[in-house]
Amino acid sequence: MSTIIAVAQRKGGVGKTTIAVCVAGELLRHVSDVGLIDADSQASACHWAAPGNLGFPVYELEAESRPVGEWVRMVRQIPHGVLVIDCAPNDRSLGAALAVANIAIVPCTPSGLDIEATLRTLDIVRRVRASRQDALKVLLVPNRVDRRTLEGQQVVDELSTLGEPVGPAIGSRSAFVRAFAAGQSVSDIARSSAADQEIRALTQEILAQVRAK
């Protein structure tokens, strides 16, 4: 049975695809069998993968036009040890992905709108949890954060009050832009950079959360 990591947020523009692709790239250092599902009709992860330079397959499997049960069955048929899902920012896609995920990674930038969207995302998480027998873990991720600024400090503090674990913060780094342009993960194009180190720390925290009882 695959471990499934859903990168989920009710609001667009928070860096879901960047985190999904770069975490999948880092997971290759730990697991040989990694795949990524692009569940968003905008297909940003597929565009990232188009040059063919990623070390893992990306499957275009948007969830908005398919019955949820059919989409879930298709996901479960993909034979990978770890699957990362880049979710679309709507209730239907989030609910479908959270139904099969072991852990939801919820990025949030230093914006009041993002905090509101995170609260709506956590409402969906709670509804899905109520319908599942097994656990659904959550890791909130402060994204595009400058910890030197008041806004950067506040988003970390505010996320810490929401009742779910908060992962390592990810900065707004030019290495992520270069990684997208090259069709690579940040671990390939900017190894040992600040961006790479932040993704490493996040991936280690994800793995620790998944392994924890």
Side-chain angles (χ1 to χ4, degrees), residues 27 38 51 71 84 93 110 125 141 178 180 200:
L27 283 167
D38 190 338
W71 185 86
V84 179
S93 179
V125 167
V141 179
R178 296 200 309 274
F180 175 80
R200 287 190 202 186

Side-chain angles (χ1 to χ4, degrees), residues 2 6 35-36 55 59 62 93 108 128-129 142-143 184 190 198 202 210:
S2 296
L36 189 149
Y59 303 93
E62 58 89 12
S93 179
C108 183
V128 172
R129 278 174 169 165
N143 194 32
Q184 295 178 285
E198 289 169 350
L202 173 58
V210 168

Side-chain angles (χ1 to χ4, degrees), residues 160-185:
S160 299
T161 69
L162 300 184
E164 303 287 352
V166 178
I170 306 294
S172 181
R173 309 284 185 189
S174 60
F176 293 123
V177 178
R178 296 200 309 274
F180 175 80
Q184 295 178 285
S185 67

Side-chain angles (χ1 to χ4, degrees), residues 114-133:
D114 281 13
I115 293 293
E116 291 178 12
T118 299
L119 290 171
R120 294 200 301 273
T121 303
L122 292 178
D123 284 340
I124 298 170
V125 167
R126 282 188 280 272
R127 292 200 296 270
V128 172
R129 278 174 169 165
S131 67
R132 289 176 47 149
Q133 293 183 337

Side-chain angles (χ1 to χ4, degrees), residues 79-157:
H80 284 86
V82 178
L83 285 173
V84 179
I85 303 176
D86 183 16
C87 298
N90 60 65
D91 291 5
R92 179 186 175 86
S93 179
L94 292 182
L98 295 176
V100 296
N102 301 98
I103 184 168
I105 309 307
V106 183
C108 183
T109 72
S111 159
L113 291 175
D114 281 13
I115 293 293
E116 291 178 12
T118 299
L119 290 171
R120 294 200 301 273
T121 303
L122 292 178
D123 284 340
I124 298 170
V125 167
R126 282 188 280 272
R127 292 200 296 270
V128 172
R129 278 174 169 165
S131 67
R132 289 176 47 149
Q133 293 183 337
D134 57 337
L136 170 60
K137 298 182 180 181
V138 170
L139 188 65
L140 305 176
V141 179
N143 194 32
R144 298 175 182 160
V145 169
D146 184 346
R147 294 294 295 267
R148 299 169 298 179
T149 67
L150 177 61
E151 293 80 7
Q153 296 166 15
Q154 286 177 334
V155 69
V156 175
D157 292 342

